[in-house]
Amino acid sequence: MKPFLTTCRLLRSLNRFSVKPSPLVSLSTSSYLCDQKKKSSYEAVDQAKYSRLVWSVLSRAPVQTLESLFEEDDVLYGPVGKRKAPGQEQRAGVPQNWFPIFNEERNMKPHTSVSSGPLKIPLQRNVIPSVTRILQQTMTPEQSFFLERWKQRMVLELGEDGFAEYTSNIFLQGKQFHEALESILSPQENLKGREEHLQCGYIKSVQHILKEISGVQALESAVKHEVLKYVGLMDCVAEYQGKLCLINWKTPEKTKLFIRNTYDNPLQVVAYMGAVNHDAHYSFQVQCGLIVVVYKDGSPAHPHFMDEELCSKYWAKWLLRLEEYAEKQKNQSIPKPV
C-alpha cells in the first residue's frame, strides 16, 4: 500500500509542471495580420494641411524676367524662329556711316555758372524724329513680341479702360517725379518745397544718389543733332561723384539690378550725349552717362554708371539703330507696284 501512495504523489507532482503543446502558427493572410503591418511615416501626415501648403507654393507666380518669358514661350510655342528681321543683319556689324560721339573741339569742363541756373531749352516739334521714336521703330522682333504680349495680358486683367487708366497713371507719376527732381536740383528751390518732396517714395528712393550730384548744368532740356538728324529731351546733366554725366531717371515697376536689364535705356543716354556734344546750345562736353533706376516704394535706387569706353560701345549700337530707322523710312516711302 505504501509504494502505491508514493507512486501517486510522484505522478501528482509531475502533472503540476506539465507543458501544454502550443497551437500551430497559421500562415494565413487574413486582414487581421495585415492590420499588424507597420504604418508608413507618410500616412501620419496631415493630408489637408499638406495640400494647402502645396497649393500656396504653386499659386505664387514667380517674378518674370525677359529670360524666363523666353523659356516659357519655348515650352508653350516652341523656339523662336531664327529668321532675321529687315535691318537686323546690319545691327550686328559696324555702322556704315560713322560719326564720333565726342567733340574734340569742346572743353571737358563747362563754363556755365551754376548760380545762373541750369539750362532748360524747350523741345521744338518738327519733322526730325525723336530718340524715343527711333528706338520704338527699331525694336527687335522679340522685344515687340513681349511688349505686345504684356499689353494683352494687362488688357485681359484690367480691361481696355482699366489699362488706359493704368498707363495714364504711370505717365503721371513719372512726370510728377521729374518735376519734383527739377525743383530740388534747381537753386531756386525753397526749404518748404523740399520738405514736401521728401514725402514722395521716389524721392526717398533717390536720396543717396542726390547726395553725390552737384554742379547741375541742364534740366529737362532739349538736344538736337544737326548732322545725324534727331532730337530729344534729356533729363539732366550734372556732376556725379566728380564726373560730368548725362543722367537719365527711370521709374520702372520691377527691380533693375544690372544695366542689361534696362534694355534700350543706355542707347537713349548715348544718343543724348552725342547730341549735347555737338549742339551749339551747349558749351561743354559730356563723356559719361548715368542711368538711375528709382522705386516707388522708397527702396534705394540703383545707379548704373557708364564710363567713356562703355558709352563708345553703346554709341556704335545707336548708330546701327539710326541706319535701320533710315532704311525703314526709305522702304515705306517707295511706292508699291500696282
Side-chain angles (χ1 to χ4, degrees), residues 123 125 128-135 229-232 318 325:
L123 180 63
R125 301 292 179 181
I128 298 179
S130 67
V131 173
T132 302
R133 177 177 176 80
I134 294 170
L135 291 175
K229 303 299 181 184
Y230 65 84
V231 297
W318 165 246
Y325 176 81

Side-chain angles (χ1 to χ4, degrees), residues 34-80:
C34 290
D35 290 340
Q36 300 302 312
K37 200 166 60 173
K38 186 178 179 180
K39 290 186 177 181
S40 169
S41 60
Y42 292 104
E43 296 179 16
V45 175
D46 186 339
Q47 296 296 328
K49 183 178 180 180
Y50 182 76
S51 299
R52 290 194 299 271
L53 176 62
V54 172
W55 179 87
S56 65
V57 173
L58 295 179
S59 63
R60 294 177 183 174
V63 177
Q64 288 187 315
T65 62
L66 186 61
E67 290 78 10
S68 66
L69 285 174
F70 268 117
E71 293 175 1
E72 180 182 327
D73 277 276
D74 283 347
V75 174
L76 294 176
Y77 309 110
V80 178

Side-chain angles (χ1 to χ4, degrees), residues 16-32:
R16 186 183 303 169
F17 297 101
S18 63
V19 179
K20 296 181 181 180
S22 60
L24 294 174
V25 178
S26 174
L27 298 178
S28 170
T29 56
S30 64
S31 60
Y32 174 79

Side-chain angles (χ1 to χ4, degrees), residues 214-255:
S214 62
V216 181
Q217 299 297 319
L219 284 171
E220 299 292 328
S221 190
V223 291
K224 181 179 180 181
H225 204 300
E226 292 287 356
V227 178
L228 298 178
K229 303 299 181 184
Y230 65 84
V231 297
L233 188 67
M234 62 181 178
D235 292 343
C236 178
V237 173
E239 290 187 8
Y240 172 72
Q241 297 181 347
K243 296 182 179 181
L244 191 64
C245 296
L246 192 143
I247 304 174
N248 206 348
W249 315 100
K250 293 299 177 182
T251 56
E253 292 188 329
K254 294 184 179 180
T255 304

Side-chain angles (χ1 to χ4, degrees), residues 185-205:
L185 294 173
S186 296
Q188 296 82 7
E189 170 68 7
N190 56 58
L191 294 177
K192 181 179 179 181
R194 186 181 296 271
E195 292 176 357
E196 291 176 355
H197 294 318
L198 288 176
Q199 304 304 316
C200 171
Y202 287 126
I203 299 299
K204 289 181 180 179
S205 175

Side-chain angles (χ1 to χ4, degrees), residues 145-296:
F145 169 78
F146 287 113
L147 180 62
E148 183 61 26
R149 182 185 178 202
W150 169 81
K151 180 180 177 181
Q152 291 176 0
R153 284 184 172 181
M154 295 297 289
V155 170
L156 286 174
E157 181 179 347
L158 305 175
E160 291 284 354
D161 295 338
F163 179 68
E165 182 179 358
Y166 167 80
T167 53
S168 177
N169 289 335
I170 293 295
F171 175 79
L172 181 60
Q173 290 175 5
K175 182 180 178 182
Q176 291 174 344
F177 168 64
H178 279 75
E179 290 175 351
L181 272 181
E182 182 181 351
S183 181
I184 291 174
L185 294 173
S186 296
Q188 296 82 7
E189 170 68 7
N190 56 58
L191 294 177
K192 181 179 179 181
R194 186 181 296 271
E195 292 176 357
E196 291 176 355
H197 294 318
L198 288 176
Q199 304 304 316
C200 171
Y202 287 126
I203 299 299
K204 289 181 180 179
S205 175
V206 81
Q207 276 299 301
H208 65 292
I209 305 294
L210 295 179
K211 294 178 182 179
E212 304 285 345
I213 291 178
S214 62
V216 181
Q217 299 297 319
L219 284 171
E220 299 292 328
S221 190
V223 291
K224 181 179 180 181
H225 204 300
E226 292 287 356
V227 178
L228 298 178
K229 303 299 181 184
Y230 65 84
V231 297
L233 188 67
M234 62 181 178
D235 292 343
C236 178
V237 173
E239 290 187 8
Y240 172 72
Q241 297 181 347
K243 296 182 179 181
L244 191 64
C245 296
L246 192 143
I247 304 174
N248 206 348
W249 315 100
K250 293 299 177 182
T251 56
E253 292 188 329
K254 294 184 179 180
T255 304
K256 307 289 185 182
L257 294 176
F258 307 101
I259 193 170
R260 65 174 179 269
N261 300 134
T262 62
Y263 304 115
D264 284 342
N265 293 160
L267 299 182
Q268 188 179 40
V269 168
V270 296
Y272 293 156
M273 284 178 58
V276 167
N277 292 340
H278 295 87
D279 191 327
H281 291 97
Y282 304 94
S283 60
F284 50 83
Q285 178 164 210
V286 184
Q287 288 192 300
C288 299
L290 180 68
I291 301 172
V292 183
V293 183
V294 192
Y295 304 110
K296 184 179 180 180

Side-chain angles (χ1 to χ4, degrees), residues 57-114:
V57 173
L58 295 179
S59 63
R60 294 177 183 174
V63 177
Q64 288 187 315
T65 62
L66 186 61
E67 290 78 10
S68 66
L69 285 174
F70 268 117
E71 293 175 1
E72 180 182 327
D73 277 276
D74 283 347
V75 174
L76 294 176
Y77 309 110
V80 178
K82 299 299 182 181
R83 182 180 63 85
K84 295 183 179 180
Q88 204 167 356
E89 293 83 357
Q90 293 183 3
R91 186 180 299 185
V94 179
Q96 296 179 0
N97 301 312
W98 180 260
F99 193 90
I101 182 175
F102 303 116
N103 189 345
E104 296 180 356
E105 299 178 0
R106 288 283 178 90
N107 293 320
M108 299 296 295
K109 291 290 184 180
H111 297 297
T112 307
S113 175
V114 178

